[in-house]
Amino acid sequence: MRILGIETSCDETAVAIFDGEQGSGKGSVLAEQIASQIETHARFGGVVPEVASREHLSALPLMVEEVMAEAKCGWADVDCIAVTAGPGLMGALLVGASYARAVGVVNNIPVIPVHHMEGHLLAPGLSENGLPGFPFMTLLVSGGHTMLVRVDSIGEYRIVGQTIDDAAGECFDKSARLLGLPYPGGPEISKLAENGDSKRFKLPRPMLNRDNLNFSFSGLKTAVMYAVKNHGVLSDQDRADMAASLESAICEVLVKKSVRASKQEGVKSLVIAGGVAANRCLRSMLAEQSESQGIEVYLPQAKYCTDNAAMICYAGFLNQNTSKAVLTEWDVQPRWSLSAEN
Ligand code: KG4
Ligand code: ZN
């Protein structure tokens, strides 16, 4: 079955067409496009919601046309439309959802609302190895979320730990700003860290020794702020060392808590997903430390860690039988919990 996926929850307009083999949970991406708004928002140091909505509105229709042409699909070939319905920016979500509803009604195609974080969580399934067997643990790390989720089946998610303040991506972004780096800060810090000494600045490992699975990153950003202030003018090497020290502090906390969560829950597989999962230090540290504990790590391809529409197609594909997707019965949900309990 062919699924058209649309993602407009934040600052990336993304469209994809996925061809899924029903019953097998497998398939392939026929065509995809991502239009990043990073340059537009960079001069403001973060995403401006109204600007994001307007950019989605002007980019989306042509992108859909181009992706459909590349996949050699007409509307008659599309079996279903999957669209991000939350969480995210209200106006931005409305652009994608309204478009999906309209083309759905006109062409008589069912529309499935997809939870953006579920898209991230299932993204490793787009790679050749597919998803691990259930149950598995997922570390979901993006610009707005940091959580550990136990997955017992598609749609059965239990949050076993989450941040009590800033998300890991937010900590990267805010600290990058303190170092004079552009938005988004994660990839910039990561690039700078390659030539830095991660032991140079002593930064805290927040909540690492608490006996729960929660995270806290706002103090880490404050520690970076004081370290920068106390140091005075920063040379290029100072900034690289600070970036490496910060990256290593964030990754150490994420990795140790993920391994602990997997062991505590007795699961043998660990998935990482979300924008921060593209971080090379996190990927290698996680692979190394999990392996030594007998836990198998599943990583999405780097391009499917950050926002994309292939993951939205895939989540829609896996949810098509259970979804309560009736056009008139749902709306966008800027705040939407992944788990029924939390
Ligand atoms: O999942 P995502 O693309 O959007 C949200 O749903 O939030 O995640 C964006 C976040 C940003 O905070 C960005 O700085 C971070 O992911 N990020 C990274 C890297 N690439 C993106 N953080 C660290 N290292 C990276 N390579
Ligand atoms: Zn995202």
Side-chain angles (χ1 to χ4, degrees):
M1 73 179 301
R2 291 191 172 187
I3 299 182
L4 170 70
I6 294 173
E7 156 64 41
T8 63
S9 68
C10 190
D11 59 348
E12 251 105 30
T13 317
V15 177
I17 293 206
F18 179 83
D19 192 7
E21 215 181 277
Q22 265 172 317
S24 76
K26 298 223 157 143
S28 56
V29 177
L30 300 182
E32 61 185 321
Q33 269 193 25
I34 300 177
S36 172
Q37 304 176 2
I38 284 174
E39 271 180 32
T40 312
H41 298 288
R43 66 198 159 106
F44 302 109
V47 180
V48 183
E50 280 75 14
V51 176
S53 312
R54 248 178 282 145
E55 294 249 323
H56 287 307
L57 200 54
S58 70
L60 185 61
L62 185 61
M63 285 174 71
V64 171
E65 253 176 56
E66 288 178 356
V67 165
M68 291 198 27
E70 194 189 330
K72 299 189 173 46
C73 277
W75 287 111
D77 305 308
V78 176
D79 298 294
C80 133
I81 301 169
V83 61
T84 304
L89 303 170
M90 174 62 122
L93 290 166
L94 277 171
V95 174
S98 311
Y99 180 91
R101 282 177 175 209
V103 289
V105 169
V106 170
N107 298 291
N108 201 21
I109 303 169
V111 180
I112 296 184
V114 172
H115 192 295
H116 179 80
M117 297 313 289
E118 186 181 21
H120 277 304
L121 187 152
L122 298 172
L126 288 164
S127 53
E128 226 171 89
N129 292 344
L131 287 169
F134 301 114
F136 60 84
M137 186 61 60
T138 301
L139 170 67
L140 267 179
V141 265
S142 70
H145 294 82
T146 297
M147 50 180 142
L148 284 160
V149 185
R150 181 190 160 109
V151 180
D152 282 287
S153 67
I154 301 298
E156 216 182 318
Y157 309 121
R158 184 157 59 83
I159 299 169
V160 298
Q162 59 189 321
T163 183
I164 58 167
D165 42 53
D166 290 355
E170 205 174 346
C171 183
F172 271 115
D173 294 339
K174 289 179 175 170
S175 305
R177 229 171 143 171
L178 294 168
L179 293 176
L181 299 168
Y183 172 86
E188 298 289 333
I189 296 262
S190 180
K191 222 186 299 162
L192 202 56
E194 280 173 33
N195 302 314
D197 172 6
S198 62
K199 298 199 170 62
R200 164 98 185 275
F201 293 95
K202 303 273 168 286
L203 295 175
R205 269 60 177 157
M207 295 185 76
L208 190 57
N209 297 319
R210 299 270 178 91
D211 71 346
N212 61 43
L213 297 170
N214 289 334
F215 303 93
S216 164
F217 289 108
S218 74
L220 189 46
K221 162 208 69 197
T222 310
V224 171
M225 186 181 80
Y226 282 117
V228 169
K229 250 192 196 160
N230 293 340
H231 193 277
V233 179
L234 296 174
S235 67
D236 286 349
Q237 190 58 51
D238 294 333
R239 284 165 13 117
D241 292 345
M242 182 61 80
S245 303
L246 172 70
E247 183 178 58
S248 134
I250 295 177
C251 294
E252 188 182 331
V253 175
L254 292 174
V255 168
K256 291 214 164 123
K257 290 236 163 173
S258 302
V259 171
R260 199 184 296 165
S262 307
K263 289 175 82 173
Q264 221 164 288
E265 290 288 323
V267 300
K268 293 264 169 283
S269 310
L270 174 60
V271 161
I272 59 166
V276 180
N279 184 274
R280 265 179 293 174
C281 167
L282 178 63
R283 292 167 85 95
S284 62
M285 209 191 263
L286 198 67
E288 204 177 281
Q289 297 196 19
S290 305
E291 242 168 59
S292 66
Q293 302 284 333
I295 298 163
E296 200 175 350
V297 173
Y298 287 69
L299 303 163
Q301 295 173 55
K303 69 171 177 173
Y304 293 141
C305 287
T306 44
D307 290 349
N308 66 88
M311 71 182 192
I312 303 303
C313 291
Y314 190 61
F317 172 58
L318 296 186
N319 269 302
Q320 43 163 325
N321 298 325
T322 51
S323 174
K324 296 175 212 66
V326 179
L327 275 174
T328 51
E329 280 187 8
W330 60 272
D331 209 339
V332 295
Q333 299 188 58
R335 298 172 74 82
W336 183 5
S337 177
L338 186 59
S339 151
E341 302 161 25
N342 310 77

